[in-house]
Amino acid sequence: MEPVLRSAVESLIALRTGKHAAAEKAAEQAFFSSLLVLCIVATLVAAGPCDIYASGGTPCVAAHSTTRALFGAYSGSLYQIKRGSDGATTNIGPKSAGGVANAAAQDSFCVGTTCLITTIFDQSGHGNHLTQAPPGGAARGTDPNGFDNMAAADGAPVTLNGQKAYGVFISPGTGYRNDGTNGIAVGDAAEGLYAVVDGTHYNGGCCFDYGNAETSADDTGNGHMEAIYFGLGTGFGTGAGSGPWILADLENGLYTGPNTAVNPSNPTITSRFVTAVVKGEPGNQWAIRGGNAASGSLSTFYSGARPSPGYNPMHKEGAIILGIGGDNSNGAQGTFYEGAMTSGYPSDATENSIQANVVAAGYATTSLTSGPAISVGSSVSFRATTACCTTRFIAHTGATVNTQVVTSSDTSALRLSASWNVVTGLGNSGCVSFESRDTPGSFIRHSGFELFVNANDGSLLFSDDATWCPQAGLNGQGNSIRSWSFPAHYFRHFNAILYAASNGGADTFDATALFNNDTTWVVGPAFA
């Protein structure tokens, strides 16, 4: 918007000063054209996606976002977070009606501790809020009652037109659901869905979905789902290239067309922010569309008949899922920023206006790290800050990562085992990876939430699990080292062994006692 505004101002100055009189008419036209563009952009931002859907005759019956209001007049709560230090909760709303989420309120509430997202509120007025997903036919979570994990509240920072906000970072095992909804399409009724997601955060697991699913949390057959899927899911229909793709989870199949063939019109996604659209209506019609959520327009990847057999007519049940499959298949990863579900089949023109609104919202990346800088190219050591252990440093014995007492007078072998090269994050260039100084090509990674020094096998899983995002130390010193792939988990020493621990999680090493101290490290120069 800034270049447009600058052009308008320059044109106005030319008019008021009488300069370039011969071009006065052209300057006047340029000025009012620039103002028209500004008015259009301002209208798109003020009107919210769900206002646009309503104007097209397909109103939102569910609207979820942790980054902004999806109605121009919405000023209620966007999401709720729970604090790890005392279990207290608070609701986060937009800074103003129709605006961006109040990230500063979250940061203030969570300072010196961890926070989880407990609820993503429905802005549509239908009460279709999303909460921690219960166990289903495919999977149980680590909660004693089998519920899925909740997302770290600060795992996916972004900016919208320069204003900070947080998305929903879904790690495997994390998911949200509502099985008792109001107004969501059932049977073969028409509906539309859109979502804005991270185009660089995905895997091949089932299923990073947003949309309509079974109310029983079990697989009840073909056509009982209609949800957006993003990732590398194969074995059914796929798009062109190597992926990831925008697909539709229709239950017992991830589809991009009428069958399981490759659809060359559905491209591999390369943009950081992605707008994904799925819609269906009676008469054996559905479509899948997508585009770059930061620029440009939507493209139609498929529009036509449903797959067969069992998908016409549809048998939608009306539950809503986020980050999981209809039967709670919870092995996927991805990041969700905003999305909505409609009553009725939106026109392409309406969705094109939604895309223009999303682009005008100005999604952009921001830093994933905080606290004292840990610079790529440096070599470092990590000293514990818990009172018991301030002479102990992170080292390794074979593949096991542990803490050991290390001094400058110790053997070269011990000093090398406690020294680490800082390299660009293998799974995300905004974070870092730690290469062993005495075992080049091997990195600190988590597996089963224990830390190991393993050789890089080149896989997406290894890259993600060997990537760490340093944060300001939870106890006020140094740094806490957060996992990129599981951002609720941090380097923690527990009985001298290193884990990727969460605050109050299911494992013994997740104990809340001493959590802040055990996960805070003073980062210094390498020993060798």
Side-chain angles (χ1 to χ4, degrees), residues 206-211 225 227-230 247-249 254 321-326 332 336:
C206 185
C207 291
F208 181 63
D209 289 350
Y210 173 69
M225 289 182 60
I228 294 166
Y229 168 87
F230 183 74
L247 305 174
D249 190 343
L254 300 172
I321 52 173
L322 173 61
I324 52 176
F336 173 88

Side-chain angles (χ1 to χ4, degrees), residues 26-52:
E28 183 178 1
Q29 290 174 337
F31 173 67
F32 286 110
S33 295
S34 298
L35 286 184
L36 177 61
V37 172
L38 287 172
C39 289
I40 291 171
V41 172
T43 299
L44 286 170
V45 173
C50 284
D51 299 309
I52 297 170

Side-chain angles (χ1 to χ4, degrees), residues 238-250:
T238 63
S242 57
W245 308 281
I246 301 168
L247 305 174
D249 190 343
L250 305 179

Side-chain angles (χ1 to χ4, degrees), residues 199-227:
T200 65
H201 183 211
Y202 56 85
N203 65 8
C206 185
C207 291
F208 181 63
D209 289 350
Y210 173 69
N212 195 323
E214 296 95 335
T215 56
S216 62
D218 209 347
D219 181 348
T220 53
N222 293 10
H224 284 249
M225 289 182 60
E226 190 166 64

